Amino acid sequence: MKDIAKTYNPKEFEDKIYSFWMEKGFFTPKIAPHKKPFTIVIPPPNVTGELHMGHALDNTLQDILIRWRRMQGYAALWIPGTDHASIATEIKVLDKIREETGKTKKDLTREEFLEKAWEWKDKYENRILSQLKKLGSSCDWTRTAFTMDEKRSKAVREVFVSLYEKGLIYKGNRIINWCPSCNTALSDAEVEHKEHKGHLWYIKYPVKGEEDYVVIATTRPETMLGDVAVAVHPEDERYKHLIGKTLILPLVGREIPVIADEYVDPSFGTGAVKVTPAHDPNDFEIGVRHNLPFINIMNENATINENGGKYEGLDRYEAREKIVKDLEEQGLLLKVEEHVHNVGHCYRCDTVVEPLLSEQWFVKMEPLAKPALQVVKEGKIKFVPERFEKIYTNWLENIKDWCISRQLWWGHRIPAWYCEDCGHVTVSREDPVKCEACGSTNIHQDENVLDTWFSSALWPFSTMGWPEETEDLKYFYPTDVLVTGYDIIFFWVARMIFMSLEFMKEIPFKYVLIHGLVRDALGRKMSKSLGNGIDPLEVIEKYGADTLRFTLVIGNAPGNDMRFSWEKVEHSRNFANKLWNASRYVLLNLDENDTNLYIDNLTLADKWILTRYNNIVKEVTDNLEKFELGVAASKLYDFVWSEFCDWYIELSKPVLYSDNEEAKKVTKSVLRYVLDNTLRLLHPFMPFITEEIWQNLPHEGESIMVAEWPKYREDLDFEEDAKKAEIIMEAIRAIRNIRAEANVSPSKKAKVIIAVEKEEHEKIFESGKNYIMKLAGASEVAIERNRGNIPQKAMSAAISAGLVVVPLEELIDLEEEIKRLEEEREKVLKEIERAQGLLNNENFVKKAPEKVVNAEREKLEKYTAMLKNIEERLSLLNS
């Protein structure tokens, strides 16, 4: 028989095994009409750096599902790839250029920047893909995609032009979220709202020609420079007399009207609101309804522009301070109140975003959102756990048009060309050489690029070659499961669904499996600022990929955050060691390449382990079907550690060390069969160690990863015999506990009496005597139906089938034990007397620190309990 190394060392075989899988092409499924496809597309990691622990979790979950389905006989395809991540990558590349050359974006041409960006992409994409391989990811690397490669770029352009032709993409002046730091527009999904402690400034707006004034409350006084009206609710009795009158805008002197609009909430602030259509989305709608002018008072870097008069050139916050000061000096600031409100921040750089009126490209969302909502409501797409459906539906039900243009260089450039002569806009699938309206060649392409999420929204079908009608699309689409975090449900999941419904006329996936964040041992989010991030490669280098994978998945529940700790890693490594050592024992006892399972002359222990294994097959398969991957891993852990290693291997030794060759042959076949199939069940979770061990077992086939997934077998269900074995094992546990309590040396044998009432239990224990003697250190096992024959001086434990009794003289030297206990009692009595003396001393209780006093109380409680146990034991020994 082959043998494996004495100690588990993953460095010796993980890379070798991965190369073997790659060479054999196991990751690349063939299109086979007789096979059912199972497809997953990877959430493409951003080419901004290296994989973190969240990526490791995400990809481990996907790999488990893919490997499981592959073993079940599916044509399992896992498509890998990376995302260009426009804003994030552009920031990283510009930072690198600045560090190396001192140059900023203003010092570069677009072409110079893009050359560096592609270099960055190549470097980090290679690093990311190699990390995924280190993790054991069984992706089909022949189908690797990148969101900006030629095929994906073709898909992006086709979608843009098609939506434009349908009137679903338009260019217009709208209020958008502007990041002054990244210098680009952001969609609503890219804005994170955080609670801020700010202020409400109450400002007097004088009524023209009267002594009266209207008071408005604002959190952003600097935007008053762009005010074009003050609005009140038409039914607000306080202001009805002012509707239609003119106010004088403080500091600016511009005349602005008082208008009535039902949007105004009379209960907030003063019930009168300043209207700044160029700097607030709600004011924008009021401005459109009332045909008001739009005055933009801010530059793209959040400084005040020429429309801000004397405040021109000031940063928005400097302008705020100056304006508040000037209002105060002119007697126009009534009061200031503290106010807590939500403020939007850029999801990338955390800068406070500025709502700005800007000409941008938008996608009309209402017609796309309706069918996307419908497929989830009808259950065609299911979220796991179901509660995350609410995030999805809430976002789509309240969605606004999607701003898709970004003022960046890295990304898919918008396929729109402007004619310098007639002003016509040509949107085209191919780069035009002339204006389609007037024929002029004096045209230039839009400088902006598309939102990153526009291209990744096409990922489920663009990765399969769309817009071409490829064989992959016909066979592998739609995909089966999307595995992703809850933080990108609206960023990505929703957009893939509505884009797939629009262009494929079919859902992109059937299930969305949501996982949580990987937090540190204290429950904190891993971040650079806290310095608590852990590199997955560091764990793999030290413990191996299987240990990391098992740590991430065991006990992990869909949708829940998990805590990562080195202690958990150690537990997983210990489990791998346990499996390795148990496998060595099995291999050392197999002396031929026999792959048969002999079930004619099974022992009680054989029947028990086969029954337990059979149940685990059913349970684990059911758990995987329900996406309960963490539960499946926990059950496998318990089965391998406790039932197979701690029990069955020990129960097998009396047979394997006997002279009964027929019994040995049967037990060896059971050991091999259970280990082989348990390795298969474990393979999706721990692919490397299972392959290494399996290759050394007698087996059929090239690799465990293409071996058949175990199935429940009726002929291996020995439920009644398994129950008998459980009764014997319960007795062994009880005897071991008695011996431990009496502190008996493992080498010392002791007589055991098992008192039973039923004849069936007597037969069970008679058949299990050999097991009890070998595994419980018994010199003799007596089955007693008459409890009157049980000695008084004995230690006992009740079990479900009777009473386990061990005479004390069999365990210990009675005189020596009595002497030892009496000495121990004297010591404990002295400790009790000392503690009571202190606690009865009023000076000690009053003057000593509370911590010290409580410690003494705990000691008194502990020693009192010890005294009780000692006296009970002495009473038994002296009886």
Side-chain angles (χ1 to χ4, degrees):
M1 257 330 288
K2 289 183 186 177
D3 189 17
I4 55 175
K6 286 185 178 179
T7 55
Y8 167 60
N9 183 3
K11 283 185 181 178
E12 290 180 358
F13 57 80
E14 286 193 349
D15 289 347
K16 177 190 72 178
I17 285 173
Y18 199 88
S19 296
F20 161 68
W21 291 332
M22 291 277 286
E23 287 163 15
K24 290 291 184 179
F26 293 140
F27 303 158
T28 304
K30 303 289 186 290
I31 293 173
H34 64 284
K35 277 190 172 186
K36 192 175 178 183
F38 180 85
T39 318
I40 294 177
V41 289
I42 200 169
N46 296 342
V47 289
T48 47
E50 299 181 350
L51 297 187
H52 53 65
M53 204 55 80
H55 291 115
L57 168 63
D58 192 81
N59 289 286
T60 295
L61 298 177
Q62 291 173 83
D63 198 40
I64 289 168
L65 294 172
I66 280 288
R67 286 180 181 272
W68 165 54
R69 290 300 194 191
R70 189 184 288 120
M71 294 174 78
Q72 284 191 321
Y74 287 77
L77 171 62
W78 183 12
I79 301 177
T82 52
D83 194 306
H84 66 281
S86 57
I87 295 178
T89 304
E90 183 155 319
I91 291 169
K92 292 269 190 183
V93 175
L94 287 170
D95 285 346
K96 186 170 187 287
I97 291 170
R98 189 174 59 252
E99 286 169 15
E100 292 178 351
T101 68
K103 291 182 178 180
T104 66
K105 190 173 181 179
K106 291 176 184 176
D107 304 316
L108 302 168
T109 65
R110 189 177 196 129
E111 289 66 33
E112 286 171 335
F113 167 79
L114 288 175
E115 185 182 342
K116 293 292 183 186
W118 281 103
E119 286 175 10
W120 173 283
K121 173 262 174 189
D122 290 341
K123 177 182 177 181
Y124 285 98
E125 181 181 60
N126 289 335
R127 190 174 292 181
I128 286 166
L129 297 182
S130 68
Q131 287 174 315
L132 287 170
K133 291 171 183 175
K134 269 286 188 187
L135 189 64
S137 304
S138 57
C139 301
D140 181 0
W141 303 109
T142 68
R143 289 176 165 97
T144 303
F146 174 56
T147 50
M148 273 175 63
D149 64 24
E150 191 178 341
K151 288 181 180 178
R152 264 44 67 182
S153 295
K154 185 177 181 181
V156 167
R157 186 171 285 199
E158 176 60 35
V159 167
F160 185 95
V161 176
S162 178
L163 290 175
Y164 180 80
E165 290 172 346
K166 293 175 184 177
L168 293 175
I169 281 184
Y170 66 93
K171 192 176 189 185
N173 277 298
R174 301 289 298 268
I175 291 287
I176 52 94
N177 306 293
W178 183 265
C179 175
S181 178
C182 296
N183 273 305
T184 184
L186 303 172
S187 68
D188 289 342
E190 293 169 312
V191 177
E192 294 179 347
H193 287 87
K194 300 179 183 180
E195 209 170 71
H196 267 224
K197 288 181 181 178
H199 297 89
L200 264 178
W201 285 271
Y202 289 77
I203 304 168
K204 299 176 184 177
Y205 281 45
V207 180
K208 182 183 177 183
E210 299 180 19
E211 292 298 311
D212 201 5
Y213 56 83
V214 175
V215 177
I216 63 94
T218 180
T219 58
R220 301 168 69 221
E222 66 278 10
T223 61
M224 67 180 291
L225 303 173
D227 286 359
V228 294
V230 166
V232 297
H233 194 278
E235 301 303 318
D236 193 332
E237 294 296 335
R238 295 171 294 175
Y239 300 116
K240 274 187 176 181
H241 68 288
L242 288 173
I243 296 171
K245 288 191 176 183
T246 300
L247 305 179
I248 304 299
L249 180 60
L251 307 182
V252 179
R254 188 165 62 244
E255 294 184 1
I256 60 174
V258 178
I259 60 172
D261 195 284
E262 291 188 349
Y263 163 76
V264 179
D265 178 3
S267 65
F268 181 76
T270 64
V273 298
K274 58 194 282 303
V275 180
T276 321
H279 294 278
D280 182 278
N282 298 312
D283 291 6
F284 175 84
E285 300 298 337
I286 294 174
V288 171
R289 284 196 291 273
H290 295 271
N291 198 27
L292 297 170
F294 291 72
I295 302 173
N296 183 1
I297 54 97
M298 211 166 286
N299 296 311
E300 291 179 352
N301 64 354
T303 59
I304 305 301
N305 65 19
E306 68 277 4
N307 291 327
K310 68 176 185 176
Y311 304 102
E312 182 181 357
L314 293 178
D315 170 79
R316 53 183 166 169
Y317 298 123
E318 292 173 337
R320 178 181 295 181
E321 286 183 27
K322 186 79 169 63
I323 286 167
V324 169
K325 185 181 178 187
D326 290 347
L327 287 169
E328 201 168 14
E329 287 175 356
Q330 293 181 29
L332 295 171
L333 186 64
L334 183 68
K335 62 177 178 175
V336 183
E337 290 179 348
E338 289 191 353
H339 177 64
V340 177
H341 61 132
N342 283 324
V343 177
H345 292 69
C346 173
Y347 80 118
R348 281 297 175 193
C349 69
D350 205 38
T351 301
V352 173
V353 299
E354 194 63 46
L356 279 185
L357 182 66
S358 179
E359 190 176 38
Q360 301 285 344
W361 289 91
F362 295 88
V363 175
K364 282 186 185 174
M365 284 310 307
E366 190 182 356
L368 296 171
K370 282 182 180 176
L373 278 164
Q374 198 64 28
V375 291
V376 171
K377 284 179 180 175
E378 290 173 357
K380 290 176 182 174
I381 295 176
K382 291 184 171 69
F383 280 79
V384 182
E386 192 179 340
R387 68 180 186 270
F388 286 99
E389 190 182 306
K390 288 180 184 175
I391 295 174
Y392 175 86
T393 53
N394 286 345
W395 189 68
L396 280 179
E397 284 171 352
N398 298 287
I399 200 164
K400 294 175 183 174
D401 286 357
W402 174 17
C403 176
I404 56 171
S405 45
R406 299 288 180 271
Q407 289 61 54
L408 302 166
W409 283 343
W410 180 241
H412 295 95
R413 200 159 167 188
I414 290 174
W417 285 259
Y418 303 95
C419 180
E420 297 289 348
D421 295 329
C422 74
H424 179 76
V425 181
T426 301
V427 173
S428 174
R429 289 172 177 80
E430 305 295 332
D431 291 4
V433 293
K434 61 183 180 179
C435 172
E436 64 183 359
C438 72
S440 169
T441 56
N442 193 15
I443 60 173
H444 69 277
Q445 189 176 358
D446 195 306
E447 294 292 323
N448 296 330
V449 299
L450 287 165
D451 178 10
T452 293
W453 301 101
F454 191 92
S455 52
S456 55
L458 320 181
W459 195 245
F461 52 94
S462 70
T463 50
M464 296 187 204
W466 187 91
E468 306 299 326
E469 286 190 29
T470 65
E471 293 303 309
D472 274 5
L473 266 176
K474 292 175 191 172
Y475 184 70
F476 289 110
Y477 187 90
T479 69
D480 290 85
V481 188
L482 176 78
V483 182
T484 190
Y486 56 67
D487 51 338
I488 54 172
I489 289 174
F490 43 79
F491 272 125
W492 191 42
V493 179
R495 287 168 176 161
M496 281 190 287
I497 292 173
F498 67 65
M499 284 295 200
S500 296
L501 291 171
E502 178 67 20
F503 290 96
M504 296 299 297
K505 308 305 177 190
E506 203 171 354
I507 57 173
F509 28 72
K510 300 166 191 123
Y511 294 95
V512 181
L513 175 59
I514 300 292
H515 60 75
L517 301 175
V518 181
R519 298 183 177 274
D520 70 8
L522 300 174
R524 301 172 303 176
K525 190 174 178 178
M526 290 187 177
S527 68
K528 285 182 181 177
S529 59
L530 288 173
N532 62 345
I534 296 170
D535 182 356
L537 287 187
E538 181 188 345
V539 184
I540 292 172
E541 177 63 25
K542 194 172 179 184
Y543 294 97
D546 289 325
T547 293
L548 173 61
R549 290 167 64 112
F550 208 71
T551 300
L552 290 169
V553 75
I554 192 164
N556 190 320
N560 290 357
D561 291 349
M562 66 156 293
R563 293 190 180 192
F564 182 92
S565 69
W566 288 106
E567 186 182 5
K568 283 181 74 175
V569 175
E570 293 280 354
H571 285 316
S572 297
R573 195 272 312 275
N574 293 344
F575 175 67
N577 272 332
K578 186 90 168 177
L579 176 65
W580 186 266
N581 292 333
S583 301
R584 263 185 60 78
Y585 166 80
V586 174
L587 287 165
L588 289 169
N589 281 286
L590 298 181
D591 48 17
E592 55 193 46
N593 286 320
D594 190 349
T595 58
N596 293 311
L597 172 63
Y598 302 102
I599 57 174
D600 289 339
N601 297 299
L602 297 168
T603 65
L604 200 62
D606 296 335
K607 290 178 179 178
W608 170 75
I609 195 64
L610 285 169
T611 303
R612 285 301 306 127
Y613 151 76
N614 213 18
N615 289 337
I616 283 294
V617 169
K618 194 193 302 182
E619 290 172 21
V620 167
T621 305
D622 185 53
N623 291 141
L624 290 174
E625 292 281 0
K626 294 176 182 175
F627 301 107
E628 297 167 347
L629 278 60
V631 175
S634 296
K635 286 179 179 175
L636 284 168
Y637 179 96
D638 291 340
F639 174 75
V640 170
W641 190 290
S642 177
E643 295 176 312
F644 184 68
C645 296
D646 287 355
W647 278 108
Y648 182 66
I649 281 181
E650 293 306 311
L651 290 166
S652 73
K653 287 177 180 177
V655 177
L656 295 185
Y657 299 159
S658 73
D659 296 327
N660 187 332
E661 293 304 318
E662 180 59 30
K664 283 161 77 171
K665 175 184 162 186
V666 172
T667 293
K668 284 179 182 181
S669 81
V670 173
L671 276 167
R672 191 212 63 81
Y673 179 83
V674 174
L675 177 58
D676 178 323
N677 285 281
T678 302
L679 290 171
R680 296 183 197 211
L681 293 174
L682 262 174
H683 176 73
F685 303 88
M686 306 177 83
F688 293 106
I689 188 174
T690 51
E691 181 75 270
E692 178 70 6
I693 296 168
W694 192 82
Q695 288 292 349
N696 288 283
L697 276 173
H699 67 269
E700 294 172 0
E702 285 188 289
S703 168
I704 192 172
M705 73 174 288
V706 289
E708 187 179 359
W709 182 257
K711 291 177 183 153
Y712 177 81
R713 285 175 54 172
E714 293 281 351
D715 63 331
L716 299 185
D717 186 349
F718 308 101
E719 202 58 50
E720 289 305 311
D721 290 298
K723 285 176 184 173
K724 293 175 185 176
E726 293 280 2
I727 289 170
I728 293 167
M729 289 156 67
E730 186 187 6
I732 293 169
R733 272 192 292 267
I735 297 163
R736 285 174 172 176
N737 289 340
I738 288 171
R739 290 173 64 94
E741 194 180 331
N743 200 25
V744 179
S745 164
S747 60
K748 184 175 176 62
K749 305 283 183 185
K751 180 182 177 181
V752 172
I753 301 166
I754 302 177
V756 296
E757 293 181 359
K758 297 180 180 178
E759 184 182 349
E760 62 182 284
H761 292 148
E762 183 177 7
K763 288 179 180 177
I764 290 170
F765 288 119
E766 284 290 348
S767 68
K769 276 185 177 181
N770 193 33
Y771 292 128
I772 296 169
M773 290 178 70
K774 294 287 185 184
L775 272 67
S779 56
E780 178 190 345
V781 178
I783 316 299
E784 183 62 67
R785 294 285 294 274
N786 184 355
R787 295 209 174 189
N789 294 335
I790 296 171
Q792 292 296 307
K793 288 185 180 180
M795 293 183 74
S796 64
I799 56 173
S800 58
L803 188 72
V804 170
V805 181
V806 182
L808 284 172
E809 59 266 25
E810 291 285 329
L811 292 175
I812 53 176
D813 182 318
L814 291 180
E815 288 183 11
E816 282 295 316
E817 182 66 3
I818 290 170
K819 183 181 175 185
R820 185 187 70 78
L821 286 170
E822 284 175 343
E823 288 173 356
E824 193 174 335
R825 180 175 61 179
E826 288 306 312
K827 288 178 187 175
V828 170
L829 281 169
K830 284 179 182 176
E831 288 295 335
I832 289 172
E833 188 180 350
R834 185 197 60 77
Q836 283 177 335
L838 281 172
L839 293 169
N840 290 334
N841 184 331
E842 284 187 24
N843 284 334
F844 171 77
V845 175
K846 285 179 183 176
K847 293 178 181 178
E850 188 179 353
K851 199 187 214 176
V852 174
V853 175
N854 287 337
E856 287 301 326
R857 286 189 178 123
E858 286 173 12
K859 285 177 187 176
L860 179 60
E861 192 176 329
K862 181 181 81 172
Y863 289 124
T864 303
M866 285 173 68
L867 181 65
K868 185 183 176 187
N869 287 334
I870 292 167
E871 289 183 336
E872 283 177 358
R873 196 84 189 276
L874 280 168
S875 174
L876 175 65
L877 294 176
N878 288 317
S879 61

